[in-house]
Amino acid sequence: MAGRFDRLPDGGAAIGLDDVEISILRSLAVQLMELIGPGDEPAPDADPLAALFAEGPSEPPSDPALRRLFPDAYGDGSEELRSAASDFRRFTENDLRARKRQDALVVIRALDALSAAAEDEGGAVLKLTPEESRAWLGALNDLRLTIGTRLEVADDGESERLYRLPDSDPRKPMVMAYLWLGALQESLVETLMP
């Protein structure tokens, strides 16, 4: 799993993926959508102004991975800051959840379209438009944050121990996925830079 994204002339990105890589990426994106949960988007015939002022949750999620995806706006602090964070969450989290679901859905749809070709050939080249590339970048970031939280990856340098896990450790596949997603994310960022 050493593929890298390459820049396309239209500003998009392309990468060769084999059928195993496609399957892993799709499975992770589906799990991300399940973690984020179903949307509370208004019906198509709903009042757009009412949808604009729809309120979401005011408390942070209890799941650590969801707290990482939807952090408090002002961090820990005084009662005033917690109140402001609660208000901010109420008016922004639904939109953020919708965008994260949409990013994951872009990944799933692109991989589904690629799957038929990959099964016949053992792999295929995924070509993304600039807009799809940005959605993929968001989804890759969300996947890494989620997996990193589950693995308890920290910025304190102690997470280096995860990179030297023996093959018998049950966390090893998730560490490998975490590292692979990081490499994909880095190469996609490089293709999107001017």
Side-chain angles (χ1 to χ4, degrees), residues 41-144:
E41 287 83 22
D45 59 344
D47 177 12
L49 192 55
L52 182 63
F53 293 104
E55 292 186 16
S58 60
E59 295 296 320
S62 59
D63 183 305
L66 285 173
R67 270 198 316 274
R68 185 71 175 104
L69 292 175
F70 306 106
D72 273 337
Y74 305 107
D76 295 330
S78 67
E79 182 63 35
E80 185 177 315
L81 285 179
R82 284 193 298 276
S83 177
S86 175
D87 288 343
F88 185 81
R89 178 179 299 282
R90 236 184 23 241
F91 295 111
T92 61
E93 188 171 312
N94 284 346
D95 289 339
L96 186 56
R97 281 181 184 265
R99 186 184 57 84
K100 290 179 180 301
R101 273 192 301 277
Q102 183 59 38
D103 288 349
L105 193 56
V106 167
V107 170
I108 292 166
R109 287 181 176 154
L111 294 171
D112 285 349
L114 195 63
S115 288
E119 287 175 13
D120 294 339
E121 304 292 323
V125 176
L126 174 69
K127 294 182 180 179
L128 303 172
T129 66
E131 295 78 25
E132 290 170 329
S133 296
R134 284 187 281 283
W136 268 71
L137 191 56
L140 289 171
N141 185 60
D142 291 342
L143 287 168
R144 286 196 74 237

Side-chain angles (χ1 to χ4, degrees), residues 21-31 108 111-112 115:
E21 293 167 326
I22 293 168
S23 177
I24 291 169
L25 282 169
R26 187 182 190 290
S27 175
L28 290 172
V30 167
Q31 290 176 56
I108 292 166
L111 294 171
D112 285 349
S115 288

